[in-house]
Amino acid sequence: MKDDFVRLAEENDSLFSFSYENVEKLTEVCVCFYRKLLLRKSFSDFSERRSQLAKYVRKFHGDAGTLTPRIGEAIKNLENDSCLLLMTAHQPNLFPYSGVLRKATLNHVLAKKLSESLEVPVVSFFGVADQDFTDDRWVKSALLPDVDRRDGLLELRFDMPERLVLNRVAKPSRIILNNWRNEIENWIDRKLSSIKRDCASLELQFSYNADHTESFKNFWALVEKAYEQAETYSDFNAFIISRIINDVWGYDTLFSRFSECQKLFEREYSHLLKRFDKYSRYVKEATEFNPNSNRGVYKDELNTLPFWYHCSCGSKAKLKVEQRDVSIIGKGSCIRCGKEYLFDFISKHEPQISGITSSISARSLSMPLVFFHGLGICCYVGGIGGTEYLKQAQFVANHLNMIFPPVVVWRPQDVYLGVGQLDALMVYRKLSGTFDFSQYERIKDILQRKIKEAQREIEEIEEQKKQLFAASKRSREEQIQNLKSLSIRQNEVRRDANFSVLVRNLRLLENVDAVMGLHPCIVDYVVNVGLKETSEQWIAFLQSNGNLCSNIGLRSRFDRPAHNFLDEN
C-alpha cells in the first residue's frame, strides 16, 4: 500500500515542479499536507527536537540582538505540540539579493493564512547555512546596477580563503566596511549626477527629495549594529538578515545557525545509514532523471555518506562508504588540508554516530531529508539554485517513506525605477533616441551591423597586408611604404565608421540590458524603494494578487520625477 505522502505527491504535480499558481493554492496544499501528517504522526513526536531547536533559536537571537517579545512568543509556539512549522534556509550572503529575504516574506504571509484556516499556531523557521563553503560567489559578493561599469555591475566584494566554512572566517575589517559604505554613497552620487546632467542636455525636468539619503543612513546604522554584535563573517551577514526581517519588517521569523541545530538529527542520520543500500540506490536513480543538468548532486553521491565531517582546519571531509560484512565505514580526506579520516560505525543495522554528531553537517541532498523528517516541516520555501537538489531529495524521501512537505520557489523579477535603472534608461535614450525599450533589439541589431561592416573592411585590408608580405618581388622600401598606406586606410575606415564609438555604444547598450534584468542586492531596495516599503509592497502583492509566477511592479521614490519625462516621451 502506498504511503500517504507518496500518493499526495502523485496527485499534485506542483509537489514535483515546486510551482504554484498563487498563494491560495499553496495554502490549500499545505493544509492538506498538515492533516495527512497528523494522521501519520502525532506532533508530539517532534516536540523533543523542536524544544532543542528552540534553545538554539533563542541563542541566535540573543547574539544578534533581535530577541524581541514577538520572537519570544514564536519560540513558545514552536514548543506547542500542535504547531505547524514552515521552513526556509540560505547561506548568509553579503547584503543579500531580494530572493533571500523574499523567502521570509512568503512564509510570513503563508503562516497567517494557515493559522486562520487551521486555527493552530504557525511558526516560520529560517536556517542559516553557516557551514557552507566560502567558494560560492554570492556569499562574498553583492551587486548594484551601474551601466558605466563592466557588465553593467558594481560589485561589492569580500575576498576569503577558499575551501573554508563560512563560520570560520572573521568578520571584515573596519577599513573594508567603511570602503563598502563609501562605494555605495559614491555610486548614489554618480548615478544622480549623471541623470541630472543627461536630463539637462535633453531639456527634461528631474527633481527629487532626499528620502534615499535618510533611508541609507538608517540601513547603515543597522549594518553597524550587526557588525558590533558579530565575531564571524557568517554572523555579520546573518545578523543583518535577522535585523531586517525581525526588526525593520517586524516578522516573527525564527533563526538558527545550522552549525548549532544540525546536532539535533542523530536519529535521522542513523536512519539513513541503516538503510544506506536503499538510500544509495535511490540517489543513483534520482541523479539519472536529468543527467545533463549541471545542478543537483553528482552521480558519485550514491557512494558518499549523507554528511560532511568537519576538520579542525576549518574545512570539511567528504566521506566515501566502504561496507565490510555488517560494518559500514566512512573514509575520506579534508578537501583543504588533506588530513585523512576513517570512521567505523560498527554495524549498519545499529550505526554508532553519537561520538561525531557535533562534527558533522548535512550534504545538499540530505539536508532536507533530516530537517523535514526530524522537525515535521509542513512547507519549505526554496531558491531557484537549489531546485534540482530538492527534486532529487524529494525522490529519495518518497522512496524511503520519509516526510517531504510541499516545496515552493518564488523568484519574480521586481520591476522598479531606481537610480541605476534610470541612469541606464538615459544612456539608452542617448543611444536610441527613445525611451521605448521595446526597440532595444532593433537598435542593437543596427549597431552590430555597422560594426560588422567596418570590421569586414578592416579585415580585408589586413588580408592585403599579409599578401604584401608574401610578395617577394617588391623591394623592402616599397613594401614598407605600401604597408603604411594600408594602415592609413584602416585608420580611415575606423574613423569614418566611428568604430571605437560604435563598439563602446554596443557595450553600453548591452550593459543597459544587464542593468534592467539584474536581481540586485538589498542595498538597491534600501536606496530606491525603502527597506520597510519593500516588505509592505511584497505583502500587498501576495495578499491582493498572490500570483507566484508573475513579476512584481514596485513603487520607488523616483517614480514621480522619472515619469515627468518618461510619460512625455
Side-chain angles (χ1 to χ4, degrees), residues 237-263:
N237 292 327
F239 292 175
I240 289 174
I241 295 171
S242 173
R243 283 183 173 274
I244 291 172
I245 291 172
N246 297 133
D247 287 354
V248 180
W249 293 355
Y251 300 177
D252 56 359
T253 303
L254 301 183
F255 286 80
S256 177
R257 304 172 181 95
F258 273 4
S259 58
E260 295 176 338
C261 67
Q262 285 203 34
K263 301 170 186 176

Side-chain angles (χ1 to χ4, degrees), residues 219-430:
F219 171 72
W220 204 257
L222 177 154
V223 171
E224 290 284 358
K225 288 179 182 177
Y227 186 81
E228 291 169 7
Q229 299 281 138
E231 294 295 331
T232 66
Y233 178 70
S234 59
D235 273 356
F236 168 64
N237 292 327
F239 292 175
I240 289 174
I241 295 171
S242 173
R243 283 183 173 274
I244 291 172
I245 291 172
N246 297 133
D247 287 354
V248 180
W249 293 355
Y251 300 177
D252 56 359
T253 303
L254 301 183
F255 286 80
S256 177
R257 304 172 181 95
F258 273 4
S259 58
E260 295 176 338
C261 67
Q262 285 203 34
K263 301 170 186 176
L264 304 177
F265 302 108
E266 179 181 339
R267 187 172 67 190
E268 283 65 39
Y269 289 127
S270 295
H271 178 75
L272 293 176
L273 290 183
K274 286 178 187 178
R275 308 179 71 186
F276 189 80
D277 289 342
K278 289 185 177 180
Y279 170 80
S280 178
R281 183 170 83 245
Y282 297 136
V283 169
K284 180 177 183 293
E285 292 177 15
T287 59
E288 290 173 346
F289 275 159
N290 191 6
N292 296 321
S293 174
N294 60 357
R295 296 180 181 271
V297 300
Y298 296 111
K299 289 184 178 180
D300 68 344
E301 190 73 17
L302 66 97
N303 297 315
T304 306
L305 286 180
F307 49 78
W308 294 94
Y309 182 79
H310 288 254
C311 181
S312 58
C313 78
S315 189
K316 297 187 282 191
K318 179 179 180 180
L319 301 176
K320 291 293 186 179
V321 171
E322 293 181 11
Q323 298 198 49
R324 302 173 186 171
D325 298 325
V326 295
S327 292
I328 186 166
I329 308 293
K331 183 179 180 181
S333 58
C334 173
I335 66 169
R336 185 166 184 261
C337 73
K339 183 177 180 180
E340 294 187 353
Y341 292 94
L342 187 146
F343 299 100
D344 187 345
F345 299 109
I346 311 300
S347 168
K348 65 181 179 182
H349 302 299
E350 290 296 332
Q352 305 295 315
I353 68 167
S354 57
I356 64 168
T357 305
S358 61
S359 298
I360 63 176
S361 63
R363 293 178 60 78
S364 299
L365 189 144
S366 60
M367 185 283 286
L369 300 182
V370 298
F371 272 88
F372 297 171
H373 197 77
L375 294 173
I377 303 297
C378 286
C379 183
Y380 182 81
V381 179
I384 194 74
T387 301
E388 203 64 35
Y389 294 110
L390 288 164
K391 287 180 179 179
Q392 292 170 338
Q394 183 181 45
F395 179 88
V396 174
N398 287 343
H399 284 81
L400 290 178
N401 197 22
M402 297 181 74
I403 293 170
F404 203 94
V407 172
V408 59
V409 174
W410 184 40
R411 192 179 187 263
Q413 173 85 41
D414 289 324
V415 181
Y416 59 90
L417 291 174
V419 291
Q421 294 81 5
L422 278 172
D423 187 35
L425 283 177
M426 295 306 298
V427 169
Y428 177 72
R429 169 66 173 76
K430 288 191 292 184

Side-chain angles (χ1 to χ4, degrees), residues 94 97 233 296 301 337 385 451 461 476 510 565:
L94 175 65
Y97 96 103
Y233 178 70
E301 190 73 17
C337 73
I451 290 171
I461 297 171
R476 181 171 177 78
E510 290 171 341
F565 58 80

Side-chain angles (χ1 to χ4, degrees), residues 94-108:
L94 175 65
F95 304 135
Y97 96 103
S98 57
V100 176
L101 299 161
R102 189 185 286 113
K103 293 178 177 183
T105 300
L106 178 54
N107 263 346
H108 179 71

Side-chain angles (χ1 to χ4, degrees), residues 55-74:
K55 296 176 183 177
Y56 294 123
V57 167
R58 187 177 294 277
K59 181 178 183 300
F60 175 91
H61 287 282
D63 293 344
T66 54
L67 191 56
T68 63
R70 293 193 69 183
I71 293 299
E73 187 64 29

Side-chain angles (χ1 to χ4, degrees), residues 75 91 226 247 256 296 319 349 418 430 457 532 541 547 554:
I75 292 173
Q91 301 98 326
D247 287 354
S256 177
L319 301 176
H349 302 299
K430 288 191 292 184
E457 285 192 61
K532 188 175 182 181
F541 175 84
N547 190 328
L554 298 181

